[in-house]
Amino acid sequence: MAEYILGLSAYYHDSAAALLRDGVVVAAAHEERFTRKKHDADFPRQAAGYVLAEAGIELADLSAVAFYDKPYLKFERLLETYHGFAPSGLRSFLSAIPVWIKEKLFMKRMLREELAKLGPGKPRILFPEHHLSHAASAYYPSPFDEAAILTIDGVGEWSTTTIGVGRGKDITFLRELDFPHSVGLLYSAFTYYCGFKVNSGEYKLMGLAPYGIEGSERVEDYKAKILGELVDLREDGSLLLNMAYFNYATGLTMCRDRKWEALFGLPRRAAETELGQEHMDMALAIQQVTEEVVLRLARTARTLTGCANLVMAGGVALNCVANGKLLRENIFDDVWIQPAAGDAGGALGAALAAWHIQGGHERTPLPAGCRDRMEGSYLGPRFTRADALRLAARREAPHTLYEDFDALCVRVADLLADGKVVGWFQGRMEYGPRALGGRSILGDPRNPEMQKKLNLKIKYREGFRPFAPSVLAEAVSECFIQDRPSPYMLLVAPIAENLRHPLPDGYWQKPMFDRLYVNRSTLPAITHVDFSARIQTVHKDTNPRYHRLIETFRDRHGCPVVVNTSFNVRGEPIVCTPEDAYRCFMRTEMDYLVVGDCLFGKDDQPEYAESGDWRGEYELD
């Protein structure tokens, strides 16, 4: 009889649920996709209900539920931190501790109450540590029989960074860095100081960094101040933060603004205000410091473990620029990163830790032809042709139903080549923060106006933000300096030299948007200002429909790449259902929508009206 384990992450940000059947992942999803509340932190009731339904089981069929961290250890850290910094932090203490005393100290009871809403049954509840959940999410689904494990995030219970090793079914931790010293929280402090939202705006800081002027006096000055005043960085990658400059340990903000302003000669940027070159230089400085930390940690992991391969998880593992540089340093033969590297992935990791460590089950060999055990990260809900037709009927939406998928691909490929923007809704929804061709918005990367159009008229977001290319896996080296797969859009690589255009004189002295809209390559819509791109390689075995579309685009128009951005607007979670997709399609200036085998044209649709301003639904990220 099959054994099922439900993994959960909740109550911080990015709640999620994942389900294993005999150690194999059946389904996984973020709660935000169902509630339409970005980074939803509540108990993942709908996500848990979905994964149980996907397996055709009920709560009573579970052998265990694994929660992704240990609440008592986290409470211990809070108490010791407040005690250590006293009398500072009284206001934060008075707001945090009552919640813990009334609710979070009784996490098992809270979970039991929430699980009871899913149906009868009382499976045992397990609590692996936070960084063990991260480590398990990285190692067990990876293709390696043995690997060094690096987990880096803000903070779990106490740990902020760990180095470990996975061998067979076992994970052993070798080094640990504890709160408040954290490269993740350091990066978030700069996210905050540059005017972006903590826990969601870090990728904006990463995207802003290439606009900084590398080697300039200001960038070097900022780096010197970071490494001289804020951070004591050691050769092994460990670090100590000067807590006189930070406020997150006991306060309600990330850093002490006045001390930072005195140090950097730059006030904190208010959200949504103009970005100056000084902010771009600051972003580059902290990005380069973070990359150096990651490289030093990786070298230490190689030395400690002797392993040829590395696996990574934790929020900092989503820094795809650092990941790309780590790969190119050749510290390890290969690197595998959990696509849901943040807290959502802790749900899967908790379940895997319960199966392999608590349950004592050995890992099974990787099936022939599989790159890993994540099924391409297509682990969420899927919808049928009947669902698409019901949407069309409900909305009285004119559409074309294609019986021949190849004919649909020809039509969509030609629309893309004609400069149209197409919403692409196919198969199972992605697990993790990246859209990978299941819930994507597509464009032609050769179109020099495409980046501007997507940012300003479709996504309604800042114009400086780059877009990723989806490239046929077999053609990746034709377009990028990259010699291996990147199926989860977690590696940044340079554009191939032969595709680049020379930069005009005075390029780096131009304002941001003048630099942005310089035509830098034959693929301008996905070429960032430093000639880099965040790559997704598309594989026929994990997403045959998306692969076929790009193959058709190549065959008809000579380009094995499409622009891929997540199917949502700024502040909105990625769409989950056909109804979500149609609503987003009609709210934006998207030209066409594909749901399964149905093609909807914007000009054919009935008038769409909503009461009030829908943009007010979503808090800006």
Side-chain angles (χ1 to χ4, degrees):
M1 187 173 178
E3 184 175 343
Y4 293 91
I5 298 175
L6 175 66
L8 301 173
S9 65
Y11 304 125
Y12 183 47
H13 60 88
D14 294 307
S15 294
L19 186 71
L20 303 181
R21 179 196 295 120
D22 291 337
V24 177
V25 59
V26 174
H30 302 235
E31 183 70 3
E32 66 166 21
R33 310 288 168 84
F34 302 91
T35 63
R36 314 309 300 153
K37 178 183 175 185
K38 189 81 167 175
H39 302 300
D40 196 340
D42 290 340
F43 179 84
R45 181 178 60 82
Q46 293 188 63
Y50 153 68
V51 299
L52 292 173
E54 184 70 30
I57 65 169
E58 298 179 349
L59 188 72
D61 298 314
L62 295 174
S63 62
V65 173
F67 187 72
Y68 80 131
D69 68 12
K70 287 185 177 293
Y72 284 141
L73 278 181
K74 189 171 286 187
F75 186 61
E76 174 190 80
R77 187 249 298 169
L78 289 173
L79 289 180
E80 290 198 22
T81 300
Y82 284 125
H83 178 264
F85 283 88
S88 175
L90 180 62
R91 182 180 168 199
S92 175
F93 176 87
L94 292 175
S95 66
I97 296 303
V99 176
W100 276 88
I101 292 174
K102 291 178 183 178
E103 297 178 4
K104 292 186 178 180
L105 277 179
F106 306 99
M107 182 67 74
K108 183 174 283 192
R109 185 186 70 189
M110 286 175 60
L111 293 174
R112 284 259 180 247
E113 291 172 352
E114 292 291 349
L115 289 167
K117 297 174 185 177
L118 296 173
K122 291 186 67 175
R124 59 182 172 161
I125 300 177
L126 306 172
F127 294 91
E129 290 187 27
H130 185 95
H131 275 262
L132 176 58
S133 295
H134 276 321
S137 78
Y139 172 60
Y140 292 122
S142 79
F144 309 130
D145 296 327
E146 174 184 277
I149 306 171
L150 184 56
T151 70
I152 318 172
D153 66 3
V155 61
E157 296 90 2
W158 276 105
S159 301
T160 65
T161 301
T162 68
I163 295 173
V165 61
R167 291 190 174 97
K169 66 177 174 56
D170 299 317
I171 289 175
T172 304
F173 288 110
L174 305 173
R175 293 287 189 277
E176 178 180 309
L177 183 66
D178 284 347
F179 184 85
H181 307 293
S182 165
V183 68
L185 291 174
L186 173 68
Y187 202 85
S188 290
F190 278 88
T191 300
Y192 160 86
Y193 204 72
C194 287
F196 303 126
K197 187 177 178 181
V198 172
N199 288 331
S200 68
E202 284 78 4
Y203 59 93
K204 293 188 189 181
L205 193 69
M206 182 181 67
L208 187 65
Y211 293 92
I213 302 174
E214 188 165 1
S216 68
E217 184 177 342
R218 182 159 51 204
V219 169
E220 295 306 310
D221 178 60
Y222 285 164
K223 285 169 62 179
K225 288 174 176 174
I226 293 169
L227 294 171
E229 290 291 331
L230 299 185
V231 184
D232 178 5
L233 176 59
R234 308 297 174 84
E235 277 302 312
D236 64 357
S238 63
L239 53 86
L240 296 173
L241 299 185
N242 182 350
M243 295 308 296
Y245 284 90
F246 297 92
N247 197 39
Y248 59 77
T250 56
L252 301 177
T253 60
M254 289 303 299
C255 57
R256 303 185 188 278
D257 293 4
R258 291 183 181 177
K259 289 185 71 70
W260 278 51
E261 183 172 349
L263 177 63
F264 292 108
L266 176 68
R268 176 176 173 253
R269 173 181 170 261
E272 306 302 313
T273 58
E274 184 177 354
L275 285 159
Q277 185 59 49
E278 61 274 17
H279 301 110
M280 305 172 212
D281 291 342
M282 178 172 278
L284 178 58
I286 187 56
Q287 176 65 32
Q288 290 183 344
V289 169
T290 301
E291 291 164 8
E292 182 60 29
V293 173
V294 170
L295 291 175
R296 292 189 187 190
L297 288 168
R299 292 188 187 103
T300 302
R302 180 69 195 249
T303 300
L304 288 174
T305 67
C307 293
N309 298 305
L310 173 70
V311 298
M312 295 176 65
V316 175
L318 293 172
N319 191 309
C320 49
V321 178
N323 296 342
K325 292 190 176 180
L326 170 59
L327 194 67
R328 290 189 292 279
E329 283 288 312
N330 294 315
I331 299 168
F332 289 90
D333 293 353
D334 205 358
V335 177
W336 191 89
I337 303 158
Q338 165 56 237
D343 277 7
L348 176 59
L352 287 165
W355 173 257
H356 289 290
I357 297 173
Q358 199 278 337
H361 297 284
E362 296 290 343
R363 295 173 83 203
T364 55
L366 192 66
C370 289
R371 281 173 301 282
D372 57 41
R373 297 169 175 83
M374 285 298 294
E375 303 293 335
S377 215
Y378 305 108
L379 296 169
R382 73 191 97 199
F383 297 87
T384 64
R385 174 185 285 191
D387 292 316
L389 293 174
R390 277 192 287 269
L391 165 71
R394 187 168 57 250
R395 289 288 189 172
E396 298 182 350
H399 63 282
T400 303
L401 174 62
Y402 283 80
E403 297 295 342
D404 179 357
F405 183 69
D406 283 348
L408 175 60
C409 287
V410 167
R411 176 68 172 140
V412 173
D414 290 348
L415 289 171
L416 293 174
D418 195 35
K420 306 301 184 187
V421 175
V422 179
W424 183 255
F425 185 104
Q426 298 285 344
R428 297 185 73 173
M429 183 177 67
E430 300 89 341
Y431 179 51
R434 310 294 184 216
L436 302 171
R439 306 289 186 272
S440 293
I441 298 172
L442 310 180
D444 185 345
R446 303 167 302 172
N447 188 325
E449 299 299 316
M450 187 54 62
Q451 181 177 5
K452 184 186 294 185
K453 180 177 181 179
L454 286 169
N455 269 329
L456 302 182
K457 294 186 176 183
I458 312 297
K459 302 284 282 190
Y460 301 120
R461 69 185 199 181
E462 303 95 335
F464 73 85
R465 289 166 62 178
F467 288 102
S470 290
V471 58
L472 295 175
E474 56 270 29
V476 62
S477 59
E478 298 173 20
C479 304
F480 307 98
I481 302 175
Q482 177 82 7
D483 62 354
R484 65 195 73 195
S486 176
Y488 303 123
M489 208 183 284
L490 286 170
L491 298 172
V492 163
I495 300 291
E497 294 281 354
N498 64 305
L499 302 184
R500 301 183 188 188
H501 296 159
L503 296 176
D505 292 339
Y507 175 77
W508 287 105
Q509 285 68 52
K510 293 177 181 290
M512 171 194 279
F513 289 107
D514 288 351
R515 274 179 274 164
L516 175 62
Y517 297 128
V518 165
N519 193 334
R520 292 177 295 281
S521 81
T522 59
L523 302 173
I526 56 87
T527 304
H528 207 10
V529 290
D530 60 351
F531 291 106
S532 69
R534 187 181 70 199
I535 298 170
Q536 179 204 359
T537 53
V538 179
H539 302 262
K540 190 173 184 178
D541 58 324
T542 53
N543 196 334
R545 285 196 156 213
Y546 194 37
H547 187 275
R548 183 65 187 128
L549 172 65
I550 304 173
E551 197 173 46
T552 304
F553 188 66
R554 179 199 62 189
D555 293 346
R556 292 181 67 81
H557 302 288
C559 181
V561 181
V562 297
V563 179
N564 172 15
T565 187
S566 56
F567 200 148
N568 61 336
V569 296
R570 182 183 175 191
E572 178 191 19
I574 294 173
V575 299
C576 177
T577 67
E579 182 67 30
D580 296 337
Y582 187 82
R583 187 185 308 116
C584 184
F585 167 60
M586 294 303 294
R587 284 172 168 177
T588 68
E589 296 179 52
M590 211 179 305
D591 300 301
Y592 287 85
L593 168 66
V594 177
V595 179
D597 299 317
C598 295
L599 176 67
F600 301 80
K602 178 64 67 62
D603 292 342
D604 301 328
Q605 301 308 303
E607 186 175 346
Y608 183 82
E610 294 182 86
S611 58
D613 183 1
W614 61 266
R615 296 190 205 191
E617 291 179 25
Y618 306 123
E619 183 181 349
L620 295 182
D621 53 9

